[in-house]
Amino acid sequence: MSKEEIAEKWLKKAFTDLRVAEKLFEIGEEPWVIVFHAQQAVEKALKAYLILHDKHFGKTHNLSRLIDMCSEVDQEFQQLHELDIDKLHPLAIEARYPDTGVEVTINEAEEAIEKAKIAVSFITRRIKNKK
């Protein structure tokens, strides 16, 4: 499988996670699970971009690190830091567990979806420009 095909599969999964986050929000699901899927959408889109550019990212879920790696290829990715996209990572990871003391509000979940939409759209445009 080519790197383009692999990246396309990652991007497809990113869009699925984003749709799942939106649907969960619509039905009033727990905010933490909504934020988790929003974070996953951004993570998978970033990884799709990195795959296209032959950048090995290892086993990480750290959005800040992934954004920095993408920025090594294209400085425009720094915009994602400015939009606080990387803040989805700790919120999504810590809130999944009941003993962390991290609680996610419905407003934070809605904001996470909006941030994920912006990020996935931005990354998708960068990927399409590469092809």
Side-chain angles (χ1 to χ4, degrees):
M1 194 176 315
S2 71
K3 67 182 178 184
E4 288 81 10
E5 291 169 320
I6 295 168
E8 189 64 36
K9 286 181 181 255
W10 277 89
L11 196 56
K12 185 177 178 184
K13 288 184 180 287
F15 281 111
T16 299
D17 271 313
L18 188 53
R19 281 193 313 274
V20 167
E22 291 173 319
K23 291 295 180 194
L24 291 172
F25 183 81
E26 287 173 17
I27 65 169
E29 187 54 77
E30 291 286 328
W32 68 265
V33 74
I34 297 166
V35 173
F36 175 73
H37 282 286
Q39 184 274 342
Q40 285 290 290
V42 176
E43 178 183 329
K44 289 171 184 162
L46 289 166
K47 288 178 176 180
Y49 184 84
L50 292 169
I51 287 166
L52 275 180
H53 290 87
D54 298 314
K55 300 282 275 179
H56 181 69
F57 45 80
K59 291 191 182 262
T60 185
H61 305 288
N62 187 318
L63 296 183
S64 186
R65 180 168 178 257
L66 294 168
I67 292 167
D68 287 343
M69 291 178 73
C70 290
S71 294
E72 292 171 8
V73 177
D74 180 350
Q75 276 297 104
E76 293 295 316
F77 275 83
Q78 285 299 311
Q79 293 176 38
L80 299 180
H81 281 308
E82 294 164 15
L83 295 170
D84 288 333
I85 300 299
D86 46 351
K87 298 254 172 36
L88 291 175
H89 171 72
L91 190 61
I93 301 306
E94 292 177 30
R96 291 186 324 170
Y97 303 103
D99 58 351
T100 62
V102 175
E103 295 293 327
V104 180
T105 67
I106 196 67
N107 290 339
E108 288 172 316
E110 186 173 26
E111 184 179 341
I113 291 170
E114 291 309 310
K115 285 182 178 185
K117 284 181 184 178
I118 291 166
V120 171
S121 176
F122 170 85
I123 298 162
T124 301
R125 285 192 308 275
R126 299 320 248 198
I127 288 172
K128 300 300 180 197
N129 289 340
K130 165 86 168 108
K131 294 181 177 180

